[in-house]
Amino acid sequence: MPITNAEIAEVFDRLAALVEIEGDSPFKVRAYQRAARTITSLPVELSQMVQETADLRAVKGIGEQIAAKIHEIVTTGQMQSYERKKAALPEGVLTILEVPGIGPKTAYRIATDLGVTTVDELERALADGRVAALPRMGEKATESILQTLQTRGAKGKRLPVSLTLPIAEQVIAALRERCPSLKTLAPAGSLRRFEETVGDIDLMGTSDDPEKVLDAFADLPLVSEVLVHGPKKASVLVKGMQIDLRIVPEDQFGSLMQYFTGSREHNIQLRELAVRKGLSINEYGITHVDTGEMVAFSDEASLYSYLDLQYIPPELRQGLDEIDLARQGAIPHLIEEADLLGDLHAHTDQSDGRDPLEAMIQAARERGLQYIAITDHSRSSTIANGLNEDRLRHHVQHIRELDSLLPDIKVLAGSEVDIRADGTMDYSDEILADLDFVVGSVHSAMEQDKAAMTRRVVRAMENPRVDVIGHLTCRLLGHRHPTNADVEVVLQAALRTGTAVEINCLPHRLDIKDTHARRARDLGVPMIISTDSHKFEDYSQARLGIGIARRAWCEPKHVLNTLPLEGFLASIKGHKRR
DNA sequence: GCCGTTTTCGGCCCGACTGTTTTCAGTCG
C-alpha cells in the first residue's frame, strides 16, 4: 500500500516542528511547512509521480533535498532524518505540541524539564502548578491551556463544511440583529474557499465603530466562551467551534477579505510578489515601501488588479500555480451553480428516499432544472429497500408516464445499481439496457484490498450500460475511510471506457474530492455533479459539489450536466463504447 | 531549504493578542 500525500505531508509538518525545536534556521522550518501544505493540495499522488520517475522539483516549494526525502519515504516507507531527529528529542514532545496554546518552545521545556510524555500527564502537570513554574509561563497561561484541553481536546477538530455553514449563518444573523451599525458581514477563510472541512470560522465585517461590534459579538447569547477580545479582533466559541471576527472601515474591506480568505500559502506568495514590486501587503491595504503611502481597497478585484493580476476566485487560492496563471491572464471562468441544467442522481420513497416521485420532480422543476434522472437503489441494497426486477419495471413505467405529461422537464428512468464484489452489476444487461441512465456504485464489501477494489470498479466501467460511477471512494467524512480503490487507475479506465465520474454533493460524502476532480479534469475524464438527493431539499446541496468542481479548476465544459438535454444525452451515448 | 523579468547568493510575509514582562517572547492565523 503506497504512502498517501496526506501521510507524507504529516511527516513534513512534524519534521518542521522538530527542526524548530532544535533551533535550526526558521527558513528551513518554513520550507518544510510550505512543502507539507503544498503536498496536501497536490492533484497527483507523490507515490504515483515517483513510480513514473516524474521530476518532483517541478512542484513549487520542492527542491533537491525535499525531493530526495520524498523519494526516500515513498520507496522505503521511512525518512531517516526525521526518525533520527525524533529519536534524539525527549519522548512526547510531538504529542504535547498538538495541544492548542503550546508551541515548540513550551513543548520542549515541558517534555525535558518535567519529563511529561502524554496528554494525561500534561493535564496533571498543568493542574499542580509544575508548568506554571517554567520560565515565561504563569497562572493565567496554564489555566487557559488547561481549559482548552478540557473543553476541546488535544487536537483541534475540523468539521465538514456543510455543518459549519449553518453555524456561520446563525452567528451572522444574530450579530446583525444586535448591531444595526454593522454594514457588511461575510465568512472568509477555509469556509469561503470551500475546503471540505473547516477548523474555525472567520467572519469579516465593516463598521464605523468596530469596538462596539466586537463587544456585541463577545456578548452574543450563542457564545459559550470568549477566547480573545481586543479592539480589532475577537475570538469566541460557539457550539465548540472557534469563531474569529475582524472589523474594519468600509474602504478597507477588500484588503481584509483577501487577507483572511487565504490560503496561508497563497497569501505568502502574494506578499512575496508584492515585496519584489516594492510593496507591502497587510490586512488594511498595500503600502509603497519607499514613500510609506498606503492604498486601501474596498473590493478584492481591485487589489489583485493593483498587483497586475487577474482576479483569483477564493476556491483557487491554494498556493499552487494560481498566481503565475493570474499574471498570464490564464485563470479560467469557473463553473457556477446556475450552469447545472440537470441532476442525475435522486432517490424516491420507492427505495430509501423520503419523498414520492411526484414531489421530487416538482422540486426539480421549481429549481429550473431541464432534466433529472430518478435512480433508486437496486435489488441487493436491501437495507435501502432496493427494487427487485418487478418493482423496477413498474417504477420505470410510472416514471415514463409522468414524464410524457411534462413538457418543461425530462425525467430519465434510471437506477443506482450496486457494483457487486466481483465487479458485475446487480441487474442483468437486458434490464440495464432498458434504463435511460445508470449510476454504478459500491455499497458493500468495502474492505476489499486495493487490487480487488480497483479491478471491481474498472470492470463496472467496462460494462457499456454504466454511464457514471457514483461516489467513487465511498468515504463518509469523519466516519468511514475511503475504499482502497486506486483512484489513478480508475480515472485512466474512465477515460478509456468513456465512463463519467460523479461528484457527489451529499455533505458527508463530497466524493470524489477536490484533488481527484482536478486530476480527472486534467486527464479529460467527464464529470457529472449530482446531489444524490434523498428528499427534495437535498437538491440545494449542489452548491457543495460546485465548490469541489471550482477547487478543481472546472469550467462548465468539464461537467456533462451543464449541457442542454439533447447534448447531454448525445454525450453520454457518444462517450461510451456500446 | 527554496528560489530568481533585480539575484546561482542572499534574501526569505505580516500582524494581533496575551501574559509575563519593564521591552518582548510565544503562539496563532
Side-chain angles (χ1 to χ4, degrees):
Chain A
M1 186 72 183
I3 190 163
T4 65
N5 285 359
E7 289 163 340
I8 299 174
E10 169 95 27
V11 172
F12 275 108
D13 252 334
R14 297 169 76 120
L15 179 62
L18 295 176
V19 170
E20 185 168 5
I21 290 170
E22 283 180 343
D24 204 336
S25 153
F27 300 107
K28 196 191 275 192
V29 175
R30 216 194 95 192
Y32 288 143
Q33 287 170 339
R34 177 184 179 176
R37 286 193 298 267
T38 305
I39 289 168
T40 308
S41 6
L42 270 188
V44 195
E45 286 296 312
L46 286 167
S47 58
Q48 177 80 18
M49 291 181 75
V50 168
Q51 195 190 328
E52 292 168 356
T53 64
D55 188 4
L56 300 176
R57 290 173 305 175
V59 180
K60 227 189 243 292
I62 296 182
E64 205 175 319
Q65 315 243 19
I66 291 181
K69 285 181 162 58
I70 292 171
H71 193 270
E72 183 194 358
I73 198 169
V74 166
T75 51
T76 72
Q78 275 208 338
M79 194 192 293
Q80 283 307 319
S81 51
Y82 166 71
E83 300 297 337
R84 264 201 311 272
K85 285 182 202 304
K86 201 169 86 167
L89 286 169
E91 198 192 333
V93 171
L94 289 173
T95 310
I96 298 168
L97 196 55
E98 306 262 300
V99 177
I102 297 184
K105 298 265 160 58
T106 314
Y108 180 71
R109 267 196 230 115
I110 291 174
T112 327
D113 299 358
L114 306 179
V116 167
T117 59
T118 67
V119 174
D120 281 348
E121 286 173 29
L122 173 65
E123 273 202 62
R124 283 197 293 275
L126 283 163
D128 65 22
R130 278 179 291 150
V131 175
L134 294 172
R136 288 206 75 83
M137 294 298 287
E139 197 74 8
K140 277 189 164 176
T142 51
E143 194 160 314
S144 151
I145 294 169
L146 192 57
Q147 200 181 354
T148 333
L149 200 54
Q150 281 162 352
T151 55
R152 285 188 288 168
K155 204 165 186 180
K157 259 216 316 243
R158 296 183 70 87
L159 287 180
V161 64
S162 57
L163 292 181
T164 51
L165 263 172
I167 298 178
E169 282 160 359
Q170 198 181 356
V171 171
I172 287 173
L175 191 54
R176 280 206 169 284
E177 197 186 317
R178 292 191 154 215
C179 271
S181 72
L182 193 56
K183 290 171 183 160
T184 320
L185 184 60
S190 50
L191 192 57
R192 183 166 181 240
R193 300 197 310 275
F194 261 89
E195 299 245 6
E196 64 192 30
T197 61
V198 171
D200 64 1
I201 296 172
D202 300 297
L203 297 179
M204 304 296 132
T206 60
S207 166
D208 297 330
D209 192 354
E211 294 198 39
K212 201 164 140 193
V213 176
L214 289 164
D215 289 345
F217 176 64
D219 278 343
L220 286 179
L222 285 164
V223 168
S224 59
E225 193 185 327
V226 179
L227 301 171
V228 283
H229 185 179
K232 293 179 173 176
K233 69 166 276 192
S235 298
V236 302
L237 280 187
V238 172
K239 298 179 180 171
M241 167 124 301
Q242 181 171 338
I243 307 191
D244 298 340
L245 175 67
R246 315 265 313 204
I247 303 289
V248 293
E250 229 171 342
D251 65 337
Q252 297 178 350
F253 188 65
S255 281
L256 183 77
M257 210 47 182
Q258 197 290 316
Y259 197 93
F260 284 101
T261 294
S263 68
R264 191 186 171 88
E265 190 55 41
H266 174 86
N267 279 359
I268 288 173
Q269 290 178 23
L270 200 67
R271 284 172 227 153
E272 283 171 353
L273 173 85
V275 167
R276 290 197 291 273
K277 289 173 182 282
L279 303 169
S280 171
I281 305 178
N282 64 17
E283 60 261 60
Y284 310 113
I286 295 181
T287 306
H288 288 257
V289 176
D290 50 357
T291 62
E293 177 210 3
M294 190 186 86
V295 187
F297 299 92
S298 59
D299 65 283
E300 286 184 320
S302 51
L303 188 155
Y304 280 99
S305 166
Y306 197 81
L307 297 167
D308 298 317
L309 294 174
Q310 203 182 350
Y311 175 72
I312 303 175
E315 295 93 339
L316 299 189
R317 302 181 197 168
Q318 298 174 33
L320 296 172
D321 51 358
E322 69 273 8
I323 291 178
D324 279 346
L325 292 169
R327 191 158 39 200
Q328 299 158 21
I331 299 290
H333 184 78
L334 300 180
I335 188 171
E336 292 168 16
E337 200 173 340
D339 293 322
L340 292 182
L341 303 184
D343 196 332
L344 284 305
H345 191 160
H347 297 268
T348 71
D349 58 3
Q350 285 301 300
S351 63
D352 63 347
R354 185 196 66 189
D355 297 322
L357 177 60
E358 290 80 357
M360 293 304 289
I361 295 176
Q362 182 52 30
R365 292 169 78 190
E366 283 166 12
R367 276 185 73 81
L369 293 178
Q370 293 182 13
Y371 52 97
I372 58 167
I374 298 298
T375 55
D376 279 302
H377 286 284
S378 61
R379 57 184 177 185
S380 287
S381 281
T382 46
I383 300 171
N385 190 22
L387 283 65
N388 62 25
E389 284 87 343
D390 258 0
R391 288 179 61 211
L392 177 68
R393 211 167 296 133
H394 282 106
H395 194 37
V396 166
Q397 198 179 354
H398 187 199
I399 293 170
R400 293 203 169 128
E401 280 167 13
L402 279 182
D403 175 55
S404 67
L405 303 173
L406 301 166
D408 59 338
I409 188 166
K410 177 68 186 175
V411 185
L412 301 171
S415 174
E416 180 181 18
V417 185
D418 273 30
I419 302 172
R420 294 192 290 219
D422 61 358
T424 58
M425 302 303 291
D426 196 27
Y427 290 132
S428 69
D429 284 350
E430 291 70 40
I431 290 180
L432 295 183
D434 187 45
L435 295 171
D436 302 325
F437 192 77
V438 173
V439 181
S441 302
V442 168
H443 288 114
S444 57
M446 296 193 204
E447 298 76 28
Q448 286 180 322
D449 65 27
K450 185 167 190 148
M453 182 58 87
T454 306
R455 201 164 48 234
R456 174 184 184 180
V457 177
V458 170
R459 186 167 177 198
M461 288 192 294
E462 285 167 348
N463 185 319
R465 305 298 172 193
V466 175
D467 297 300
V468 62
I469 299 297
H471 47 75
L472 175 57
T473 75
C474 299
R475 70 164 180 181
L476 297 179
L477 282 170
H479 290 286
R480 185 166 71 210
H481 287 296
T483 66
N484 292 319
D486 186 327
V487 174
E488 178 68 20
V489 172
V490 169
L491 291 179
Q492 298 280 0
L495 196 60
R496 178 166 52 81
T497 59
T499 314
V501 172
E502 176 185 88
I503 295 179
N504 187 298
C505 305
L506 284 181
H508 53 286
R509 286 199 185 269
L510 303 182
D511 187 7
I512 53 178
K513 65 176 182 175
D514 52 5
T515 52
H516 291 151
R518 174 78 193 268
R519 183 63 177 158
R521 189 207 91 119
D522 290 348
L523 288 171
V525 174
M527 282 174 274
I528 292 177
I529 299 177
S530 291
T531 58
D532 195 355
S533 288
H534 284 70
K535 49 188 186 298
F536 68 78
E537 304 95 284
D538 288 348
Y539 287 132
S540 65
Q541 307 284 14
R543 64 172 172 171
L544 298 176
I546 287 290
I548 293 175
R550 287 171 63 86
R551 287 176 58 79
W553 293 68
C554 288
E555 303 167 56
K557 68 178 179 189
H558 297 113
V559 176
L560 294 182
N561 51 326
T562 61
L563 292 168
L565 177 65
E566 293 308 316
F568 174 77
L569 291 174
S571 178
I572 57 167
K573 293 205 172 78
H575 269 107
K576 197 75 191 190
R577 296 187 296 110
R578 296 208 189 238

